[in-house]
């Protein structure tokens, strides 16, 4: 059985790919923006160069590029209350699902297999279970062998930060230019409620002392990374009643120390996962609480809104995990790296992106200029490429955009159970989808049948496929214009 | 005396293996195992048994 495709339709489908490639090649780079496609006006070109192909560090890139994680570093030196290591690490992967642990050699094989099959692949990350910096030998062995085979792949690690200062120099030597540190507190009193113990310098520490050491090491690691120009993303797990308010201080402090992005993720806690929080009934935040906190943090360190809390063995675009297609037993043993697909794809993207950027800034400009003072929450079904190009019934998640006087920006995503399987829509599933879309003003998709459309309407949610295959922002600006009776985009262009 | 690992509890994270100052821990077949002839209970090397201190699962590294 082939897993549902998440390829960029039209970009990578057999004919579309060749066509687009032809366009991209004949495109001619007369424009002065060639080569810096997509760079926001206020961004340093050197920084842009580092993030432009990184789906997690750049919102814009996440439409085009894919990441993969390999779980090669299972040992850890910190115990978090939201993690049960008998199962998996909840830091960077959804708990309760055991990831495939790999040796560095197996990881290399897997990366090559994926690079040959998934042209969007641009980033290899090591992110739990375990800690990439603590289980350092395996991390290093993996990076070294992958970089030898596929020199242009970007390497990144996620870490709790405790062992990070010991390896910053080596990370820099290996050209790792993206690091994620999970920082849940800057006050050891708060930390003591999150971390029962750490293992540091040959002994186990608990309580405030443990949290203080962890905090100091995290700050030191962040400063060292900043000093070397390595981009650092901070992940924080939002734990209601424990660190929710406190994350405002975290945001401020990490920004001062040069963090590039701040990503606030909801605590996932379920008694079945056997974590301390799960067992003690600590709840996670709901979508509204999460968004409210993220909105309050706006203006501090730049917030990441498109994180998917990926599994530690995730493969593919952020919106769709293809990890199950690439388990060890499914990949051939002797694959050698073939760069042709990835190279061809990059050309297509370079072209498509310039287009997208222009369309996007026109659309955002229009919404800003409209001066309506109103905002609209839009759910978009997309397979990537920055377009409204997924059928309503095929979507396994909707990306959430907000159109407001501030422009158009991604504010999150809602996961749903795929409603239409093999051409049949299940009523019960549709109810679930409708519940997940609570609070949304309008749903944009490539196609939707009358029946689900009517039922959505009954629940007060409009849905339309009128903008199928348009760029997301273009479609949203058109919807915004209609909703608030503003002149359409064409009039200003 | 020596320590041993209760295999049914072990998550196979391998942390004990690289913390053991006596190189007494190895992955054998299906599980991590402590070689009783090599284990010194960390007597000279550290204040606490390193495998016990680093292991994420309580009562997994125990006196044999
Ligand atoms: S967990 Fe978040 S940061 Fe890590 S790869 Fe997934 S989306 Fe990116
Ligand atoms: S007690 Fe010390 S010497 Fe013995 S296995 Fe554990 S870490 Fe190694
Ligand atoms: S530290 Fe504990 S869980 Fe990890 S391998 Fe050793 S005995 Fe197993």
């Amino acid at each position: 059985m082939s897993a549902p495709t998440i390829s960029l339709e039209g970009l990578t489908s057999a004919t579309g790919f060749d066509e687009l490639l032809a366009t991209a090649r004949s495109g001619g780079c007369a424009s002065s923006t060639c080569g810096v496609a997509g760079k926001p006006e206020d961004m340093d070109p050197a920084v842009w160069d580092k993030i432009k192909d990184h789906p997690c560090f750049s919102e814009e890139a996440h439409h085009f590029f894919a990441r993969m994680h390999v779980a090669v570093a299972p040992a850890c030196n910190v115990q978090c209350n939201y993690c049960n290591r008998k199962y998996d690490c909840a830091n960077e992967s959804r708990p309760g699902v055991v990831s495939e642990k790999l040796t560095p050699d197996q990881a290399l094989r897997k990366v090559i297999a994926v690079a040959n099959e998934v042209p969007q692949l641009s980033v290899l990350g090591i992110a739990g279970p375990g800690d990439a910096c603590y289980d350092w030998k395996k991390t290093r062995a993996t990076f070294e062998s992958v970089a030898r085979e596929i020199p242009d792949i970007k390497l990144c690690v996620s870490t709790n930060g405790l062992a990070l200062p010991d390896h910053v120099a080596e990370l820099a030597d290996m050209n790792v230019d993206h690091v994620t540190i999970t920082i849940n507190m800057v006050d050891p009193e708060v930390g003591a409620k999150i971390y029962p113990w750490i293992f540091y310098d040959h002994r186990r520490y608990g309580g405030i002392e443990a949290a203080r050491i962890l905090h100091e090491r995290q700050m030191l690691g962040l400063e060292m990374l900043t000093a070397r120009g390595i981009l650092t993303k901070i992940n924080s797990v939002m734990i209601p009643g424990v660190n929710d308010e406190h994350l405002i201080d975290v945001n401020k402090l990490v920004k001062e120390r040069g963090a590039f992005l701040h990503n606030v993720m909801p605590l996932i806690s379920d008694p079945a996962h056997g974590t301390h929080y799960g067992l003690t009934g600590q709840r996670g935040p709901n979508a509204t609480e999460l968004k409210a906190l993220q909105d309050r943090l706006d203006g501090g360190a730049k917030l990441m809104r498109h994180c998917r809390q990926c599994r530690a063995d995730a493969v593919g675009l952020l919106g769709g995990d293809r990890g199950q297609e690439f388990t060890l037993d499914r990949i051939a043993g002797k694959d050698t790296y073939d760069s042709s697909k990835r190279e061809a794809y990059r050309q297509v993207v370079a072209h498509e992106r310039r287009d997208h950027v222009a369309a996007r800034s026109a659309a955002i400009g229009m919404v800003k200029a409209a001066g309506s003072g109103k905002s609209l929450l839009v759910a978009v079904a997309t397979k990537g490429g920055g377009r409204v190009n997924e059928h309503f019934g095929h979507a396994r998640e909707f990306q959430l955009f907000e159109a407001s006087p501030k422009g158009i920006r991604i504010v999150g995503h809602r996961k749903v159970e795929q409603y239409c399987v093999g051409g049949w829509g299940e009523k019960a599933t549709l109810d679930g989808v409708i519940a997940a879309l609570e609070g949304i003003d309008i749903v944009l998709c490539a196609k939707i049948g009358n029946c689900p459309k009517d039922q959505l309407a009954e629940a007060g949610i409009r849905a339309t496929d009128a903008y199928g295959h348009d760029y997301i922002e273009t479609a949203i600006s058109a919807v915004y214009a209609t909703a608030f009776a503003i002149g359409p985009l064409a009039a200003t262009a | 005396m020596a320590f041993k690992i209760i295999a049914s509890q072990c998550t196979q994270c391998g942390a004990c293996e690289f913390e053991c100052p006596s190189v007494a821990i190895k992955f054998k077949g299906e599980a991590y195992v402590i070689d009783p002839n090599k284990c010194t209970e960390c007597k000279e090397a550290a204040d606490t048994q390193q495998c016990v201190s680093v292991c994420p699962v309580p009562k997994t590294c125990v006196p044999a």
Side-chain angles (χ1 to χ4, degrees):
Chain A
M1 267 234 340
S2 72
T5 173
I6 55 131
S7 64
L8 305 188
E9 189 188 50
L11 282 185
T12 55
S13 65
T15 54
F17 186 61
D18 291 340
E19 274 165 34
L20 264 152
L21 192 54
T23 339
R25 284 196 172 128
S26 67
C29 292
S31 146
S32 60
T33 58
C34 187
V36 289
K39 185 181 93 62
E41 285 143 30
D42 54 354
M43 191 178 281
D44 174 352
V47 171
W48 172 244
D49 209 51
K50 282 192 177 158
I51 64 163
K52 70 183 197 310
D53 299 345
H54 198 308
C56 310
F57 276 72
S58 158
E59 230 162 76
E60 201 262 342
H62 107 277
H63 295 297
F64 298 103
F65 288 104
R67 50 67 181 111
M68 74 178 286
H69 288 164
V70 286
V72 293
C76 193
N77 49 358
V78 168
Q79 179 66 53
C80 307
N81 277 334
Y82 47 74
C83 178
N84 173 359
R85 290 206 249 127
K86 257 191 112 84
Y87 298 102
D88 208 338
C89 167
N91 252 357
E92 280 289 323
S93 61
R94 265 176 284 141
V97 224
V98 178
S99 318
E100 186 176 59
K101 284 178 203 163
L102 304 174
T103 65
D105 283 340
Q106 292 170 328
L108 174 65
R109 270 171 49 204
K110 181 164 172 170
V111 176
I112 290 175
V114 172
N116 288 348
E117 279 307 308
V118 182
Q120 299 97 331
L121 182 69
S122 65
V123 173
L124 168 68
I126 300 182
D131 188 81
C133 287
Y134 176 59
D135 211 343
W136 178 248
K137 280 196 186 135
K138 293 183 199 142
T139 298
R140 191 179 53 203
T142 305
F143 280 169
E144 281 172 352
S145 63
V146 170
R148 217 176 298 129
E149 295 293 324
I150 313 177
D152 71 336
I153 203 162
K154 291 198 180 301
L155 306 174
C156 79
V157 293
S158 290
T159 174
N160 59 42
L162 185 57
L164 172 64
D166 304 338
H167 303 296
V168 170
E170 284 166 283
L171 286 168
D173 286 347
M174 289 193 297
N175 285 322
V176 173
D177 39 28
H178 304 86
V179 172
T180 298
I181 318 176
T182 301
I183 299 184
N184 297 319
M185 54 87 200
V186 292
D187 173 357
E189 301 256 353
V190 177
K193 295 182 200 147
I194 304 172
Y195 305 101
W197 58 264
I198 66 167
F199 183 80
Y200 176 66
D201 199 16
H202 304 296
R203 57 173 278 218
R204 188 182 278 212
Y205 293 83
I208 301 222
E209 198 184 10
R212 185 182 48 74
I213 296 170
L214 179 61
H215 166 64
E216 284 166 5
R217 300 282 292 171
Q218 288 177 334
M219 294 299 125
L220 175 63
L222 172 57
E223 285 164 8
M224 290 172 75
L225 291 169
T226 304
R228 281 167 181 77
I230 297 176
L231 294 183
T232 309
K233 170 158 72 65
I234 306 304
N235 275 354
S236 298
V237 181
M238 174 181 179
I239 312 161
V242 175
N243 72 347
D244 43 355
E245 286 294 317
H246 181 62
L247 288 181
I248 293 168
D249 294 337
V250 172
N251 183 272
K252 197 165 148 275
L253 226 78
V254 299
K255 187 190 184 184
E256 283 166 12
R257 283 168 177 70
F260 177 69
L261 263 183
H262 190 191
N263 174 26
V264 176
M265 313 185 295
L267 169 71
I268 301 175
S269 97
D270 180 326
H273 300 154
T275 64
H276 174 80
Y277 281 151
L279 296 174
T280 54
Q282 169 67 50
R283 70 174 183 95
N286 61 37
T288 322
E289 289 170 315
L290 178 67
K291 183 171 181 300
L293 177 66
Q294 288 174 333
D295 287 346
R296 280 176 68 195
L297 292 175
D298 248 344
K302 189 171 161 27
L303 282 191
M304 173 174 182
R305 304 268 196 153
H306 62 284
C307 180
R308 300 301 196 284
Q309 293 183 284
C310 309
R311 285 172 52 119
D313 50 7
V315 172
L317 291 171
L318 294 192
D321 186 5
R322 294 176 66 180
Q324 297 316 307
E325 289 171 57
F326 296 100
T327 49
L328 265 193
D329 52 325
R330 293 190 184 199
I331 58 181
K334 53 204 166 301
D335 267 8
T336 45
Y337 174 52
D338 167 8
S339 63
S340 58
K341 272 198 193 169
R342 287 180 72 231
E343 275 165 18
Y345 179 74
R346 274 162 193 265
Q347 288 194 36
V348 173
V349 167
H351 179 268
E352 179 78 358
R353 238 179 171 177
R354 274 192 294 280
D355 232 43
H356 180 211
V357 167
R360 183 183 182 198
S361 64
I364 291 176
M366 192 227 93
V367 169
K368 277 188 181 162
S372 75
K374 303 215 176 74
S375 62
L376 207 61
L377 205 54
V378 185
V380 179
T382 174
K383 306 186 195 187
R387 295 179 186 267
V388 180
N389 55 5
E390 178 67 293
H391 292 201
F392 176 81
H394 296 170
R396 287 192 288 182
E397 70 161 35
F398 290 88
Q399 297 190 3
L400 253 55
F401 288 78
E402 189 177 66
S404 74
K406 286 189 194 155
I408 302 173
R409 47 186 207 155
I410 191 163
V411 291
H413 60 97
R414 302 260 174 100
K415 288 205 168 67
V416 296
E417 209 182 309
Q418 196 180 339
Y419 156 61
C420 177
V421 180
W424 294 95
E426 278 283 346
K427 168 85 175 71
T429 317
L430 183 58
D431 291 342
V433 176
I434 290 175
L437 291 174
E438 197 204 318
I440 303 292
D441 297 306
I442 183 162
V443 177
L444 302 179
C445 53
K447 257 258 127 0
I448 182 167
N450 284 329
C451 166
K453 197 173 179 171
D454 293 345
Q455 291 209 30
L456 279 164
E458 263 172 49
I461 305 168
R462 274 176 63 213
T464 175
D465 51 18
Y467 305 97
H469 301 281
D470 278 358
Y471 283 124
I472 293 171
E473 290 85 359
T474 309
I476 293 175
S477 70
V479 170
Y480 192 81
T482 325
F484 304 121
I486 302 152
L489 187 55
T492 60
Chain B
M1 273 297 282
F3 274 67
K4 66 172 180 189
I5 289 167
I6 312 287
S8 60
Q9 300 247 36
C10 170
T11 70
Q12 307 195 341
C13 70
C16 56
E17 181 187 10
F18 67 77
E19 291 296 349
C20 173
S22 321
V23 203
I25 306 180
K26 282 265 140 30
F27 192 69
K28 284 224 176 89
E30 291 288 285
Y32 281 94
V33 180
I34 298 177
D35 179 344
N37 298 317
K38 287 191 180 163
C39 174
T40 60
E41 297 193 353
C42 294
K43 283 218 170 76
E44 308 282 291
D47 303 346
T48 60
Q49 282 83 29
Q50 298 293 289
C51 55
V52 181
S53 307
V54 76
C55 181
V57 195
K59 302 197 182 74
T60 297
C61 301
V62 292

